[in-house]
Amino acid sequence: MKLFAHWIVAIAAIATMPSALAELPLVIRFSHVVAPDSPKGQAAQRFANLVATRTQGKVRVDIYPNGRLYGDQDEIAALLMGSVDMLAPSLTKLKVLRVPEFEVFDLPYLFADIESAHRVTQGQIGKDLLGKLAPHGVIGLAIWDNGFKQLSSNRPVHMPTDLAGLSLRIQPSKILETQMKDLGAKARPLPFSEVYNALKTGAVDGTEGPVSNFYTQNLHLTQKYLTLSNHGYLGYGVLVNKKFWDTLAPDVRIALEGSLKEATTYANDTAQRNNEEALMAVEQSGKTKVIQLSADEKLAWQKALSKVHQQTDGRIPKELIERIYQESGYHLAAVSMR
Ligand code: LMR
């Protein structure tokens, strides 16, 4: 009789298990390398909030910022292995998925302003590039802005020639190496998580990046000057592991897509403001002197960097570069520079 009662309890427990499991939220692990209050950090958080609302808590997005879970060196491998579900690496970092075309975004002065960047990233070219990722196990869902890169160092830099001999941190990229070489500087590819220490210990003399990353990584505590060169664009590809995506129920996928659409609008509407606020914070810190360039100095930068566009050594198809020029208006800007 006692045994029978045990059986009843056990059967009852098993019978209630599926519904208990059904109530567990589906967790999406979203890892990134920047601070929570950077443009990417804030957009990821907005995405997580939207997903929670749209799925009424059935799906939860857990965010791992600051490379806490994975850094530049291993995050894409982790995504492919399914150790993490979503990432948003900078566009140039996507080339390790065997889509070298993503390095095109490193070309200096490719976009005169954020609107011309959006015509490419949010238009057909952006879609086509993201579409190239699927055969490599990853779905490219969206492109988010950070913004335009500035140049920091412990030497006041006005003209490109002021960089001669400096060792400058870059993201791993042949185009960025060429860019630094053309400026007379030494390019030092380093993972993002190592930049602060490399600057602090003097292993490198300076770096490039949007002010939002500069400020939220405390780089202003290590650098005396920040030159507002706006010499390149930094954006992100929002990625999800394809196998994981394919297992999702259609209604979950719809909710995620809708949330991402809204989060993308938010990301691209607020990134510029985030960079402006970071610039004010850097100025107020009194640690780093911000250098504005005169019109002549800006032109000198554009001229010094224009030949990088002819030095891509066939890694990026010419047609893609031409297509981007047409969309961004770079060809017009280049003509006016001559
Ligand atoms: C960098 O390595 O400088 C950036 O890609 C970091 C980031 O994700 O903004």
Side-chain angles (χ1 to χ4, degrees):
M1 188 63 194
K2 221 170 158 191
L3 195 64
F4 181 69
H6 273 127
W7 270 103
I8 300 280
V9 171
I11 289 166
I14 289 166
T16 56
M17 252 169 83
S19 61
L21 280 179
E23 279 159 27
L24 284 178
L26 167 76
V27 176
I28 297 179
R29 294 155 301 172
F30 189 146
S31 168
H32 65 77
V33 300
V34 290
D37 50 350
S38 64
K40 176 162 58 184
Q42 290 189 342
Q45 188 55 55
R46 175 62 68 109
F47 172 64
N49 297 347
L50 288 162
V51 169
T53 311
R54 281 184 186 232
T55 66
Q56 291 161 336
K58 287 199 202 84
V59 181
R60 197 179 81 211
V61 180
D62 285 352
I63 301 171
Y64 300 89
N66 270 323
R68 221 167 62 200
L69 206 53
Y70 296 104
D72 285 337
Q73 310 94 309
D74 51 5
E75 66 175 4
I76 291 193
L79 181 72
L80 291 173
M81 275 172 14
S83 312
V84 65
D85 311 302
M86 285 185 76
L87 300 176
S90 70
L91 293 165
T92 192
K93 291 174 188 167
L94 305 190
K95 61 183 175 271
V96 303
L97 284 158
R98 285 190 261 149
V99 188
E101 285 92 334
F102 276 103
E103 203 181 296
V104 76
F105 290 100
D106 290 339
L107 284 173
Y109 295 110
L110 187 57
F111 305 123
D113 49 33
I114 206 68
E115 289 74 26
S116 64
H118 286 169
R119 285 200 296 278
V120 174
T121 59
Q122 309 304 310
Q124 195 53 46
I125 300 177
K127 273 203 198 93
D128 291 350
L129 285 172
L130 290 176
K132 287 179 180 288
L133 295 168
H136 304 286
V138 162
I139 305 275
L141 293 169
I143 297 180
W144 289 350
D145 283 339
N146 185 322
F148 290 102
K149 293 186 288 181
Q150 320 300 347
L151 210 296
S152 73
S153 84
N154 286 327
R155 188 192 279 179
V157 170
H158 291 267
M159 292 294 276
T161 44
D162 295 334
L163 289 165
L166 290 184
S167 145
L168 302 173
R169 183 267 170 174
I170 54 163
Q171 304 183 84
S173 153
K174 289 269 181 262
I175 290 183
L176 295 179
E177 272 175 34
T178 308
Q179 170 196 279
M180 291 312 184
K181 205 165 128 244
D182 287 0
L183 289 170
K186 287 179 234 121
R188 283 289 308 276
L190 281 179
F192 187 65
S193 59
E194 291 177 23
V195 181
Y196 176 85
N197 273 332
L199 290 171
K200 196 164 164 57
T201 59
V204 295
D205 304 309
T207 187
E208 60 165 17
V211 193
S212 53
N213 278 354
F214 184 78
Y215 180 65
T216 55
Q217 294 298 315
N218 283 325
L219 305 188
H220 60 295
L221 305 181
T222 70
Q223 297 271 266
K224 293 206 183 85
Y225 298 96
L226 180 68
T227 301
L228 300 185
S229 48
N230 284 304
H231 63 276
Y233 169 79
L234 184 77
Y236 306 113
V238 184
L239 312 179
V240 64
N241 174 296
K242 185 170 182 312
K243 273 195 206 128
F244 171 77
W245 186 251
D246 290 345
T247 59
L248 297 175
D251 60 330
V252 170
R253 233 183 281 164
I254 289 169
L256 293 180
E257 278 166 352
S259 305
L260 198 64
K261 199 160 178 243
E262 253 186 79
T264 301
T265 305
Y266 168 83
N268 295 343
D269 285 354
T270 57
Q272 205 169 346
R273 181 153 26 95
N274 187 307
N275 277 299
E276 283 159 12
E277 284 166 8
L279 183 61
M280 276 188 318
V282 168
E283 279 171 327
Q284 276 160 17
S285 77
K287 299 280 181 196
T288 306
K289 187 174 176 346
V290 173
I291 297 176
Q292 305 271 356
L293 297 180
S294 68
D296 283 351
E297 287 165 345
K298 278 185 198 160
L299 201 61
W301 276 77
Q302 285 169 12
K303 277 193 172 150
L305 290 176
S306 66
K307 61 178 189 295
V308 181
H309 289 239
Q310 278 84 56
Q311 296 170 290
T312 60
D313 297 331
R315 282 189 319 280
I316 315 238
K318 279 236 158 347
E319 312 77 71
L320 173 65
I321 300 182
E322 282 301 328
R323 231 179 126 198
I324 294 182
Y325 286 171
Q326 292 304 321
E327 208 54 67
S328 72
Y330 177 85
H331 60 305
L332 299 175
V335 168
S336 74
M337 249 166 15
R338 283 181 203 134

